[in-house]
Structures are given as C-alpha cells and as structure tokens.
Amino acid sequence: MRKSLYLATIMLLTTGQAMAVSVWELSQSCGDDAEIWCDGVAYGEAMQACIEANYAELAPECKAIADRLRAGEKVSLF
C-alpha cells in the first residue's frame, strides 16, 4: 500500500496532473455509503453531489475518495 501511494505521489509530482479515481475504487470505498445515503440517486454528477452533501456521515475510506474528488480528480473507468 505504501509503495503504491508513494508511486502515485511521484507520478503526480512529475506530471503535474491529478490522477483519476477509478470506478472500481469509488465503488469499493463508497458503495456502502452510497446505498445508505444516496439510494435512488443517479450515477455521475448527481452521485458526487449526494456523496458531498453527506460527507460528515461517510466512512473514512469514502471520505478519502471524496477528498480526492474535491481536489480535482475525475472519475475514470480504469
């Protein structure tokens, strides 16, 4: 885990661009929270808005993803 975080940080620093949050990462980290707080909300921007609106209630793993999205990372398929 530390090695991958280190490599991601190096990649960010050398490219000057934010990495993307994968759909898999998002579903693994926020799936349970999305079911609880955002049931029936459409995917995409509506889901991001719902996650953001319920930020205080989220699990730490989901908050970490929400923080990355706040920092400007986009959601990608991979």
Side-chain angles (χ1 to χ4, degrees):
M1 179 70 171
R2 285 186 188 177
K3 185 176 181 181
S4 62
L5 181 58
Y6 174 76
L7 291 174
T9 303
I10 294 298
M11 226 170 126
L12 176 60
L13 292 174
T14 57
T15 63
Q17 296 182 359
M19 296 180 60
V21 174
S22 71
V23 171
W24 181 85
E25 246 181 323
L26 184 61
S27 67
Q28 291 298 307
S29 299
C30 295
D32 291 339
D33 288 310
E35 282 185 33
I36 294 167
W37 305 110
C38 304
D39 188 39
V41 174
Y43 293 109
E45 290 181 20
M47 181 61 72
Q48 276 187 255
C50 181
I51 292 290
E52 184 66 31
N54 292 286
Y55 184 84
E57 306 300 329
L58 302 176
E61 300 83 18
C62 189
K63 282 184 179 180
I65 294 294
D67 290 341
R68 289 173 57 191
L69 294 171
R70 283 178 172 178
E73 289 189 43
K74 304 295 181 196
V75 178
S76 73
L77 292 177
F78 305 101

